[in-house]
Amino acid sequence: MNLHDLRVLTLDIGVALSAILVLLVDLVLPAARRKLTAPLAALLLTAVLVASFFVDTTGTTAWGAYSGSAGTLFFQRLFLAAGIVGILGGMAHVAKQTRFRQGEYYFLLLCSLAGMTLLPGVRDLILLLISFELMGLPLYVLAAYEKSAGDPQGRGARASEAGIKLYLVGAASTAIALFGLSYLAGVAGGTSFHALQTAHHTRLFALGAVLVLAGIGFKLGVAPFHMWVPDTYEGAPGPFVAFLSAAPKAAAIAALCAVFFTGLGQHQADWAPAMAGLAFLTMFVGSILAIPQKNVRRLLAYSGVAHVGYMLLAFATGTTDGLAMVLFYAVAYVATNVGAFLVAHAVAADSGDDLATGLRGLHKRSPWLAVALLVFLLSLAGIPFVAGFWAKLYVFVAAWKVVGPMRGFMHVLVAVGAVLSVVALFFYMQLARAAYMEDPPDEKPVRVAFGLRVAIVACLVAVVGIGAYPGPLLEASHAAAAKFEAPSPRPIPLTARWLRMNDPSPPRLVRGGFLINGEHVSDGPGMNHHTVLGD
Amino acid sequence: MTTPMWALIAVFAPLASALLLAVLAPIRRRGGLAAAVSITFALASLVGAIFAVIGTLHAGGSDWTRSWLASGGALPLSVTFGVHVDGVSAPMLAVVALVATCVQLFSTGYLDDESSASRGRYFAYQSLFLFSMQLLVAAPNLLQLFFGWEIVGATSYLLIGYWYKKPSAARAAVKAFWVTKFADMGLLIGLVALFGFTGSFEWTAQLAPAAATAVTLLFVLAVMGKSAQFPLHVWLPDAMEGPTPVSALLHAATMVAAGVYLVVRAQPLFAQAPFTQHFLAYLGAGTALFAALLALVQTDLKRVLAYSTCSQLGYMLAALGAGSAFAGFFHLTTHAFFKALLFLAAGSVIHAVGSNEMSKMGGLWKKMPLTMLVFIAGAFSLAGFPGFAGFFSKDLIIDSLSEHHLWAPYAALLLGAFLTALYMGRAILLTFFGPHESHEAEHAHEPGWSMKLPLIVLALLSVGAGFFGGDLWHLASLTDYVHGVYHFRFGAVASVLALSGFVVAWVAWGKTREEPALARSLAAFANRAWVDRLYVFGYRAGLLLVSDVAAWIDRYIVDALVNVVGSFFLLGARRARRLQTGNVQDYLFAMSLGAIALAVWSIWR
Amino acid sequence: MTLTTCLILSAALFSVGLYGLLTRRHAVGILLSIEVMANAANLNFVAFAHYGGASWGQAFALFVLGLTVAEVAIGLALVMLLFRSHKDVLVDLANAFKH
């Protein structure tokens, strides 16, 4: 590796260094000043975000294991923005609840972000695993990041339950995904995506693909891997939930893009129907189970599950157009969902009440907060002309236009999705009704901390901006999606070629490669050494 | 600075003001400051519009557009936003900005006894309204026009309901909103249909004859709502519950003109639909006559003017129906001046007397000579008194109908011209002459300069604007589809009718404030209560019948379906949520089942 | 011993882990079961690499070992937290959130 290679990783290195810097600064700061770590972390992330506009990160590095492009940049900017908003939104809560451990909170958050920024660019299964875990491990800790007390009803107990549920489901799903990865890599005979692209299709390979899908599906909250979602959202610290509900999901989408689109793009038959099925189940479960929820966070959790279903619907098309719509949806979803959770957190932090009743009469208490909530709800429900409307519309259009054997099924899914969005309207409007039609418990305005206010306004601007002027984002997502396309089939290497010939004497695996018709062919990492992907 | 840049200023200066006032509460709460901000930006808009007119005169029309919705592969949709400056939109921008500036200036005096916070709110609405109107006028395609149209509707709702504590005002606001909203559906459906047929939102689109008729008829529905044409005019008289300057700006000069403007703008589409044009001619002429009759028997000064507005909008639409876009457009501009003037003068009277009822006025000519003079100037202009602005434009309309041999509408408009002079004569006599009818009328006095100045400016325009018809024609003809000819011809018949209208009014109301036998015999035909009751009965009966049927369908079919489906979902949800036991091992179990199901599928598919 | 026997062995190991994951109530038992599942994957990696004649499998297995150590460390910390708030480490005690 030379300096040229490191340039590709500028943003990832920037985030990682920021994490370390925050930890070091936290070490030297006296306890009273530790709340400075939050603005520091936000500032560092902003610097990285600004740098993303000036540094050219396109290229391939780490022996082909990482490839930067407009596609990775699209996701990285989204993660960085979500990280900044997440930090600003959580400042006050973290400073109040865990005064002496603030630095670690931001360190862990930045570590998770470092994992996320790596994900869209991975072109190797080992790096995929590492960055996925780098993203996931800090989240387990953060979910339980409250003052731990002996009181089984207290905040600490709630957070520990949120943490342990997230952890157990997460660790188990990692194990499942790992098992799938072992099949993928084993059949492909290597860990690089290039090996995946050229791998011969076997049942073991298909099995590996769906197990990896299950593992990533956990992080996305795809039904039936979604059951941790409402419980964790209910118990974890409020502002962290805003982050957890958005950024890791977008990162999981990035992982799907990398693995399934770039890596397994030539094996769509192995995963696209399964993904369409999961999309159906996820839309359905999310929309239906949200109806009876009384707790705002649980409601938003299920609504988030439903939204993931819509994203999967577009992903299952397997087309670049569909992928572009997924990316558009991801941005709209992140902005809207973070905003909605932050408003819910702002109200709950003021009244200590997570139930929908806490929102009652919000517009008489804090009209601006109520307007923000309304805009986010409209966007979640997909009402014109806010971000969520275009996202949903584009997803449906992309799914409708799919051609091939899945066409009929996709049309059914679009119809189901349209019906379910009407169902969803019902529970979103219940929240809006509570905020606008009912009388407030008291007339006191909701106190909103400065950072939280900035974060909510940022989300509001994004949602309204995308809604009013979706053109640039649409173009950006199309450009980004094109970068995830699997490279067109190359000359098939010998290792794969024998599998297509009806060779009466099957090749034998020998040390150092294969023996085909007496010819020794080496395979493994060495073969991918000079491969440049994504060009 | 290029012409479109000036137009951009004309459109977006009021938006800047609205945002300033909305976001910066300290400015808004100080009413005087808010007024200053709003008027300054309205003036900026006026300056921008004037330079846009000059630029158009020198160099013709031009556009500034940006892509709004890129097609982006998935959707076959490409829509632009921006400004389209040509011989129609540039003068319209200027007229709107000019009237708005006058009205805002007038409002500072008119609303001086409101609290300063609520005045701030008023000017925030006013700025937003001006922005939406300019957005509509400068729209380069029908979709942007539709957005402007909708915001105009929303701000109209806010401004009619400005005195929201007054139940009648709140009701009137809701009524206006629903009636125009109902009509707007026509525009929305028409736009979707247009897009379906042609894949664009351009008014220059070419359609099959049947499609053109369908689309334009849908547009006409929206026009009927916005421009208060029979039978959707019902909201306009009630909208007089808003402050009088609001009536002057929205419900006389600009907002109601949006419907007419839409027809002018979409002339290439309407030209493809002869049936719609005929319909428009008869609709306009019918409304012109009908509303003029109703205006004659009103006792509320503002309602006289409101019905008069319906009537005049009918004239414009009749001209457009006859295919003479220029006649309609010309009358649109002159009407904006003299009707705003009449409303503001009426506002000045109402401000002094404290009532809308003409029975409480009388004899004000001694107390308020300037107001009387400008009111008479406006009335003469409205009635088409020779030499005044309305004379030129109204004559052009009546001429255009005779040219196209639309004799029934022609006769209706001639009769309407007579009635116009008659009801305006009556309003002048009842308001300014005769004895004082109330204590307030005795102690009335001229308003301050902030109210006088706009009156004088508008009065000058109402008197003189007609002489610039040739220039306006020169400007408008830059737009290739504005047909019609401008020729000054002394309309003898209409003039005689207008004069005789005034004479009859003098005979009837000059000496006595009693409704004379003539008026009574007219009232037998067009008694307000009778017609209104009949009208309300018919309207209600029709509406109630439709709504009863709709309610029945809604209650027993739609509701039943919704309830069944809803309870299905709800029951399902209640059952399904029990699966979420709270025990993490059950979650692991579900997850494993999912993974196994996927594995089974992948192996045995 | 062939590749197939190795794959069958690892599949059996994975199933054992999965069974433990679903039946153990004790948090540490569940952690151990997850370890068993991860090691089944490791066995696959090593087997594939051995019979494929390349070293990527060993490398992957080493990375997995490192990651699972980190994962278990966090898991044990969370179990400690569970113990502190619920006075026991049976995972079904943490069921305040449901439906």
Side-chain angles (χ1 to χ4, degrees):
Chain A
M1 276 209 299
N2 53 29
L3 208 58
H4 171 84
D5 289 323
L6 281 179
R7 177 184 51 77
V8 179
L9 288 164
T10 310
L11 303 182
D12 315 81
I13 293 172
V15 177
L17 284 182
S18 308
I20 295 167
L21 192 64
V22 166
L23 194 65
L24 286 178
V25 168
D26 181 58
L27 274 179
V28 297
L29 277 181
R33 292 276 179 82
R34 287 211 183 127
K35 66 176 180 213
L36 286 178
T37 48
L40 174 69
L43 210 64
L44 288 169
L45 282 187
T46 313
V48 178
L49 183 60
V50 170
S52 77
F53 289 94
F54 296 103
V55 184
D56 175 26
T57 57
T58 49
T60 304
T61 186
W63 298 280
Y66 183 93
S67 162
S69 66
T72 58
L73 206 57
F74 183 89
F75 274 114
Q76 284 167 333
R77 285 186 186 141
L78 176 62
F79 302 146
L80 290 169
I84 295 167
V85 169
I87 289 172
L88 289 177
M91 269 163 70
H93 182 84
V94 174
K96 197 169 136 207
Q97 296 299 330
T98 47
R99 260 187 67 201
F100 300 104
R101 295 182 286 137
Q102 295 186 43
E104 293 156 48
Y105 180 92
Y106 299 110
F107 168 71
L108 288 167
L109 198 75
L110 291 185
C111 280
S112 183
L113 269 178
M116 290 179 200
T117 50
L118 277 171
L119 267 176
V122 295
R123 296 290 180 273
D124 187 280
L125 293 179
I126 297 184
L127 187 59
L128 170 78
L129 181 71
I130 292 172
S131 41
F132 205 72
E133 289 296 282
L134 180 57
M135 164 182 80
L137 292 180
L139 297 179
Y140 303 146
V141 184
L142 288 172
Y145 212 85
E146 292 274 11
K147 220 182 287 177
S148 61
D151 176 15
Q153 302 299 318
R155 213 187 267 277
R158 291 159 57 89
S160 79
E161 179 173 342
I164 197 94
K165 280 181 171 167
L166 174 61
Y167 173 79
L168 287 178
V169 181
S173 74
T174 306
I176 292 174
L178 205 53
F179 203 64
L181 283 182
S182 71
Y183 285 149
L184 280 185
V187 174
T191 59
S192 75
F193 281 12
H194 180 67
L196 293 186
Q197 284 152 8
T198 51
H200 174 60
H201 175 264
T202 65
R203 280 182 180 166
L204 219 50
F205 191 77
L207 177 61
V210 294
L211 290 182
V212 172
L213 178 59
I216 298 179
F218 143 76
K219 196 67 91 198
L220 269 176
V222 174
F225 317 106
H226 72 285
M227 293 177 87
W228 61 276
V229 173
D231 291 12
T232 299
Y233 285 11
E234 194 178 346
F240 169 68
V241 171
F243 180 77
L244 176 70
S245 73
K249 280 192 185 173
I253 290 283
L256 279 186
C257 290
V259 179
F260 286 91
F261 223 77
T262 312
L264 300 174
Q266 264 114 34
H267 304 275
Q268 269 188 25
D270 286 344
W271 53 264
M275 201 178 270
L278 288 179
F280 170 74
L281 194 63
T282 308
M283 287 190 298
F284 201 79
V285 166
S287 305
I288 298 302
L289 286 183
I291 297 172
Q293 300 304 330
K294 294 281 177 282
N295 182 304
V296 180
R297 287 205 215 166
R298 284 187 88 82
L299 195 155
L300 288 176
Y302 280 114
S303 105
V305 169
H307 282 287
V308 167
Y310 292 118
M311 282 189 250
L312 281 194
L313 178 62
F315 205 106
T317 60
T319 60
T320 311
D321 257 1
L323 188 66
M325 297 310 123
V326 176
L327 302 194
F328 186 94
Y329 204 113
V331 176
Y333 171 77
V334 166
T336 310
N337 222 44
V338 171
F341 266 113
L342 286 181
V343 172
H345 165 67
V347 177
D350 195 60
S351 63
D353 180 6
D354 263 344
L355 300 181
T357 51
L359 295 175
R360 272 193 324 206
L362 184 60
H363 104 108
K364 286 197 184 119
R365 299 174 64 193
S366 304
W368 283 103
L369 208 55
V371 167
L373 178 73
L374 185 67
V375 169
F376 295 137
L377 288 174
L378 291 179
S379 178
L380 285 171
I383 305 286
F385 285 89
V386 271
F389 167 72
W390 299 115
K392 212 169 256 180
L393 179 71
Y394 289 147
V395 159
F396 285 160
V397 171
W400 191 264
K401 286 170 62 171
V402 81
V403 285
M406 299 227 307
R407 187 177 173 81
F409 187 45
M410 288 307 248
H411 284 192
V412 172
L413 285 191
V414 169
V416 170
V419 170
L420 288 174
S421 6
V422 178
V423 172
L425 196 60
F426 168 74
F427 53 77
Y428 292 128
M429 287 309 115
Q430 265 188 333
L431 290 188
R433 206 186 63 176
Y436 274 89
M437 303 284 183
E438 289 174 22
D439 284 329
D442 57 62
E443 298 279 341
K444 271 190 312 200
V446 177
R447 290 181 306 265
V448 186
F450 176 72
L452 189 53
R453 202 176 303 170
V454 172
I456 290 174
V457 168
C459 294
L460 195 61
V461 168
V463 169
V464 173
I466 296 170
Y469 196 22
L473 179 62
L474 199 62
E475 280 160 29
S477 29
H478 272 284
K483 296 289 179 189
F484 281 106
E485 267 178 48
S488 52
R490 290 154 178 277
I492 302 166
L494 276 176
T495 40
R497 205 187 305 154
W498 61 259
L499 293 159
R500 307 225 165 147
M501 300 186 299
N502 267 333
D503 189 4
S505 63
R508 276 192 306 124
L509 292 164
V510 296
R511 261 196 106 69
F514 296 87
L515 202 59
I516 306 171
N517 299 337
E519 184 189 352
H520 187 270
V521 178
S522 90
D523 199 0
M527 196 182 155
N528 307 316
H529 196 103
H530 304 288
T531 317
V532 178
L533 293 176
D535 50 356
Chain B
M1 290 273 276
T2 57
T3 311
M5 289 299 133
W6 287 114
L8 278 176
I9 291 178
V11 175
F12 287 101
L15 178 66
S17 157
L19 287 178
L20 266 181
L21 295 182
V23 174
L24 297 181
I27 298 184
R28 186 179 65 243
R29 289 204 192 103
R30 291 179 54 194
L33 192 57
V37 168
S38 182
I39 291 170
T40 310
F41 279 90
L43 269 175
S45 177
L46 177 59
V47 171
I50 287 172
F51 276 102
V53 170
I54 293 172
T56 311
L57 271 175
H58 282 293
S62 50
D63 281 9
W64 182 92
T65 53
R66 287 291 174 271
S67 157
W68 180 50
L69 300 176
S71 65
L75 272 183
L77 178 63
S78 171
V79 181
T80 56
F81 73 94
V83 290
H84 172 78
V85 191
D86 64 5
V88 175
S89 64
M92 188 70 189
L93 282 174
V95 168
V96 170
L98 178 64
V99 176
T101 312
C102 288
V103 164
Q104 291 190 9
L105 188 60
F106 186 87
S107 304
T108 57
Y110 190 79
L111 296 172
D112 54 2
D113 42 358
E114 293 289 313
S115 79
S116 57
S118 96
R119 263 190 295 163
R121 186 164 56 89
Y122 175 83
F123 282 103
Y125 294 161
Q126 279 277 2
S127 293
L128 185 62
F129 168 76
L130 183 54
F131 161 67
S132 53
M133 193 67 206
Q134 302 287 52
L135 188 72
L136 185 160
V137 169
N141 56 49
L142 291 171
L143 192 65
Q144 183 181 327
L145 186 144
F146 176 70
F147 284 129
W149 183 280
E150 287 296 307
I151 311 175
V152 161
T155 37
S156 159
Y157 166 79
L158 292 172
L159 282 168
I160 296 172
Y162 172 66
W163 285 312
Y164 57 91
K165 287 182 182 138
K166 206 163 90 182
S168 59
R171 241 194 336 266
V174 171
K175 183 172 177 182
F177 192 69
W178 281 118
V179 173
T180 50
K181 206 79 208 147
F182 166 72
D184 288 354
M185 279 172 26
L187 184 53
L188 185 60
I189 298 170
L191 280 181
V192 171
L194 179 67
F195 184 75
F197 289 132
T198 67
S200 83
F201 294 107
E202 307 295 322
W203 52 71
T204 47
Q206 289 297 317
L207 287 166
T213 306
V215 168
T216 48
L217 277 178
L218 284 163
F219 284 0
V220 166
L221 177 64
V223 170
M224 282 159 70
K226 201 62 118 193
S227 290
Q229 295 299 294
F230 181 85
L232 296 182
H233 67 277
V234 283
W235 65 271
L236 188 62
D238 287 15
M240 296 301 129
E241 290 293 342
T244 308
V246 169
S247 312
L249 180 60
L250 273 71
H251 309 124
T254 56
M255 171 188 157
V256 287
V260 179
Y261 185 76
L262 169 65
V263 183
V264 174
R265 205 65 292 195
Q267 197 61 33
L269 287 178
F270 279 84
Q272 299 171 42
F275 174 76
T276 314
Q277 289 211 312
H278 266 84
F279 177 71
L280 211 53
Y282 282 90
L283 173 79
T287 307
L289 184 60
F290 172 75
L293 279 172
L294 287 180
L296 191 58
V297 288
Q298 302 299 320
T299 57
D300 178 325
L301 180 56
K302 278 180 80 181
R303 281 175 177 261
V304 174
L305 296 178
Y307 280 112
S308 153
T309 302
C310 291
S311 170
Q312 296 304 308
L313 291 166
Y315 274 86
M316 299 173 210
L317 289 175
L320 290 164
S324 173
F326 178 69
F329 185 62
F330 187 23
H331 198 55
L332 182 62
T333 52
T334 56
H335 175 257
F337 296 135
F338 62 69
K339 193 49 75 64
L341 170 68
L342 282 169
F343 265 106
L344 291 186
S348 162
V349 169
I350 290 164
H351 191 65
V353 176
S355 167
N356 290 2
E357 291 295 319
M358 287 190 286
S359 58
K360 298 263 173 63
M361 297 168 184
L364 291 172
W365 67 274
K366 274 180 296 207
K367 309 284 178 190
M368 313 174 76
L370 178 82
T371 306
M372 180 204 67
L373 275 177
V374 297
F375 192 89
I376 289 176
F380 276 24
S381 190
L382 168 61
F385 199 85
F388 286 76
F391 165 74
F392 297 93
S393 52
K394 198 184 268 181
D395 256 14
L396 206 57
I397 288 178
I398 295 175
D399 267 3
S400 71
L401 283 165
S402 69
E403 267 169 32
H404 291 83
H405 309 294
L406 291 160
W407 297 117
Y410 175 74
L413 291 191
L414 279 183
L415 188 54
F418 169 74
L419 287 172
T420 308
L422 187 61
Y423 68 67
M424 281 322 292
R426 170 175 174 266
I428 293 170
L429 291 168
L430 290 187
T431 308
F432 291 101
F433 295 94
H436 301 301
E437 293 290 324
S438 69
H439 176 71
E440 286 82 5
E442 267 177 70
H443 296 277
H445 54 81
E446 284 287 2
W449 271 104
S450 64
M451 289 163 78
K452 272 188 203 163
L453 186 64
L455 288 177
I456 293 168
V457 171
L458 287 172
L460 290 177
L461 285 167
S462 301
V463 174
F467 296 105
F468 298 100
D471 300 310
L472 187 67
W473 163 241
H474 172 63
L475 196 57
S477 60
L478 294 174
T479 309
D480 50 2
Y481 57 77
V482 172
H483 302 299
V485 280
Y486 187 72
H487 51 87
F488 175 66
R489 200 172 65 198
F490 191 82
V493 186
S495 307
V496 168
L497 281 171
L499 284 174
S500 57
F502 280 118
V503 171
V504 171
W506 173 254
V507 171
W509 291 281
K511 298 276 184 262
T512 168
R513 296 178 69 83
E514 296 293 311
E515 297 292 327
L518 176 73
R520 265 189 249 123
S521 62
L522 267 167
F525 173 67
N527 181 296
R528 173 172 184 267
W530 179 75
V531 171
D532 247 19
R533 256 183 235 143
L534 179 77
Y535 174 69
V536 165
F537 174 77
Y539 187 70
R540 280 218 185 124
L543 203 67
L544 280 181
L545 185 70
V546 172
S547 64
D548 275 355
V549 171
W552 189 87
I553 293 174
D554 184 56
R555 188 168 306 148
Y556 293 104
I557 298 180
V558 179
D559 262 19
L561 265 175
V562 167
N563 283 342
V564 167
V565 174
S567 54
F568 165 76
F569 279 131
L570 208 60
L571 262 160
R574 290 212 181 109
R575 291 262 168 88
R577 72 188 292 203
R578 278 191 229 134
L579 289 173
Q580 186 90 8
T581 55
N583 185 354
V584 67
Q585 266 179 317
D586 293 335
Y587 303 174
L588 293 173
F589 187 67
M591 185 174 107
S592 309
L593 276 185
I596 290 168
L598 282 177
V600 168
W601 172 81
S602 77
I603 294 174
W604 276 282
R605 80 190 147 85
Chain C
M1 198 146 150
T2 62
L3 179 59
T4 315
T5 19
C6 282
L7 292 185
I8 290 173
L9 175 65
S10 76
L13 201 56
F14 187 81
S15 308
V16 169
L18 193 62
Y19 178 75
L21 178 76
L22 299 181
T23 52
R24 295 272 135 194
R25 286 177 66 211
H26 199 282
V28 178
I30 294 179
L31 287 189
L32 283 175
S33 308
I34 292 173
E35 277 300 287
V36 170
M37 289 163 75
N39 281 317
N42 270 346
L43 189 58
N44 270 353
F45 284 128
V46 176
F48 274 122
H50 176 76
Y51 289 98
S55 58
W56 59 264
Q58 278 85 345
F60 212 139
L62 281 176
F63 274 109
V64 171
L65 284 179
L67 280 174
T68 40
V69 167
E71 203 172 61
V72 167
I74 290 173
L76 287 175
L78 284 170
V79 170
M80 284 289 293
L81 205 59
L82 185 71
F83 182 76
R84 242 196 262 173
S85 56
H86 292 81
K87 308 289 176 245
D88 208 335
V89 290
L90 302 178
V91 289
D92 49 2
L93 288 178
N95 66 350
F97 310 131
K98 52 183 138 189
H99 304 316

